[in-house]
Amino acid sequence: VVLFAPGCTYPAHAHKGITESYVCLSGAVSENHQGVYVPGSMIFNPPEHLHRITVGDREPALLAYAWMGDPADLHQQKMVFTRARPRPPAPARARK
Ligand SMILES: [Fe+2]
């Protein structure tokens, strides 16, 4: 399960070789700004489908999700985001 805070945006991403399904358990979400999913709704994302989830402003959203795919793809899953992740700061060098 995954819990999103109110007003949260899960950035656009896709899953290589993975089929993803979400069931909304509480709250309300939208995927790619196409409709509103309420508890009991299911969202289906085929492999490589670019998707972004936004959460309503009033309450958190609890979603159950499942990934299906080849075991090698599941084990090596790397999500592809449309925006580069910020790089972590370089480690400080020890002074001599
Ligand atoms: Fe996803």
Side-chain angles (χ1 to χ4, degrees):
V1 293
V2 60
L3 178 64
F4 291 119
C8 174
T9 296
Y10 189 27
H13 64 281
H15 306 276
K16 185 172 185 245
I18 300 293
T19 297
E20 180 183 65
S21 299
Y22 282 105
V23 175
C24 181
L25 301 175
S26 69
V29 298
S30 180
E31 182 175 280
N32 297 340
H33 294 296
Q34 296 177 342
V36 175
Y37 298 92
V38 295
S41 302
M42 182 174 181
I43 302 170
F44 176 78
N45 294 318
E48 285 82 38
H49 173 70
L50 187 65
H51 54 285
R52 178 175 102 156
I53 294 174
T54 51
V55 181
D57 290 336
R58 296 185 177 190
E59 60 183 330
L62 183 65
L63 307 175
Y65 75 94
W67 284 357
M68 293 185 351
D70 184 89
D73 288 335
L74 290 167
H75 183 70
Q76 307 270 334
Q77 183 58 205
K78 292 180 182 171
M79 288 194 288
V80 179
F81 287 91
T82 57
R83 226 175 5 167
R85 289 182 175 181
R87 297 179 77 181
R93 292 183 173 207
R95 293 184 180 189
K96 294 183 178 179

